[in-house]
Amino acid sequence: MAQWIVDYLPTWNIIRISGIAAYLLLFVGVFLGIAQGMPMAKGKPKAVMFKWHTRTTWLAFGLGIVHGLTLIVDHYSPFTWSELFLPFTASVHPVGSGLGTLAFYGLVIVLLSSDLRDRLGRKWWFLFHMLSYPVFVGLLIHGLVTGSDSGNVFIRMMYVFTGLSMIGITVLRGMLRERKGPEITIGPKQTPPESRTERKWAEAYGLAVPAGQEQFNR
């Protein structure tokens, strides 16, 4: 019965749809993560963006698992387990497939580091979370190289739009942070230089929750 189901699964369509959907959800997740760190993002809108940043990233992870496992039972060009888990060993599009595997591992690290943030500390959490950028780039290249629909003009435009949007919002966030000006401290309050620098860079790219926001999001 199980083999019959596998034989008649539209594996090729599942691979295509889950791959594109996972990429788009990751784009939305990273984009919202940067956007919620903008100086004008405050209060409830900021909390909503942070919530959907987390949800869409986890949904992308789930669809990535579906995408990978379906490759094992694909009728046309099935992957072996070693080709799926060992980067650059696939017989078809080894470079593009390898980037997809590495991007998946990077996404696992990003998600785990978020859950272990209190134990890791801000410095290590920030370093791990910055993997979101190479993960996104890796999946973009993976889709362009290995995607059966990457030759379609609309799919190609989708990759161009999402790539340029990510560059644009990253540059904009950095410019807004620079224009904010120096921090003004009243009274004896002192912030260690290292912690302040880490906080500044984390908030600059939307990777940190501003002070007082942690309990609000929970």
Side-chain angles (χ1 to χ4, degrees), residues 23 26 99 103 134-146 158-164 166:
Y23 170 80
L26 182 68
L99 288 174
V135 164
F136 175 79
V137 173
L139 288 182
L140 190 154
I141 299 175
H142 168 75
L144 283 173
V145 173
T146 66
M158 179 269 292
Y159 283 121
V160 172
F161 172 78
T162 52
L164 291 178
M166 194 62 64

Side-chain angles (χ1 to χ4, degrees), residues 57-131:
T57 305
W58 274 104
L59 284 172
F61 173 71
L63 284 175
I65 293 177
V66 173
H67 178 73
L69 292 180
T70 309
L71 287 169
I72 298 292
V73 297
D74 180 40
H75 312 308
Y76 304 100
S77 182
F79 275 48
T80 64
W81 288 104
S82 61
E83 288 178 327
L84 186 64
F85 287 104
L86 296 179
F88 311 112
T89 60
S91 57
V92 180
H93 300 301
V95 175
S97 298
L99 288 174
T101 301
L102 290 178
F104 180 80
Y105 291 153
L107 183 57
V108 171
I109 294 174
V110 170
L111 293 173
L112 289 178
S113 66
S114 297
D115 289 341
L116 300 174
R117 178 176 174 177
D118 294 337
R119 295 186 179 183
L120 290 173
R122 184 175 300 280
K123 180 180 179 180
W124 285 105
W125 167 83
F126 172 68
L127 291 175
F128 286 134
H129 216 73
M130 285 296 289
L131 286 174

Side-chain angles (χ1 to χ4, degrees), residues 26-41 46 49-50 52-54 56-57 129-130 132-134 136 162-177 201-210:
L26 182 68
F27 163 72
V28 173
V30 177
F31 191 92
L32 288 176
I34 300 172
Q36 63 91 27
M38 293 283 189
M40 67 284 292
K46 184 182 185 71
M49 283 191 289
F50 183 80
W52 282 103
H53 156 68
T54 303
T56 51
T57 305
H129 216 73
M130 285 296 289
S132 300
Y133 287 97
F136 175 79
T162 52
L164 291 178
S165 297
M166 194 62 64
I167 294 173
I169 194 171
T170 301
V171 172
L172 177 62
R173 186 64 191 93
M175 291 173 59
L176 290 176
R177 171 55 57 183
W201 279 99
E203 291 184 4
Y205 293 99
L207 299 178
V209 182

Side-chain angles (χ1 to χ4, degrees), residues 194-208:
E194 183 178 358
S195 298
R196 184 169 53 215
T197 301
E198 293 169 5
R199 184 88 187 182
K200 178 180 177 180
W201 279 99
E203 291 184 4
Y205 293 99
L207 299 178

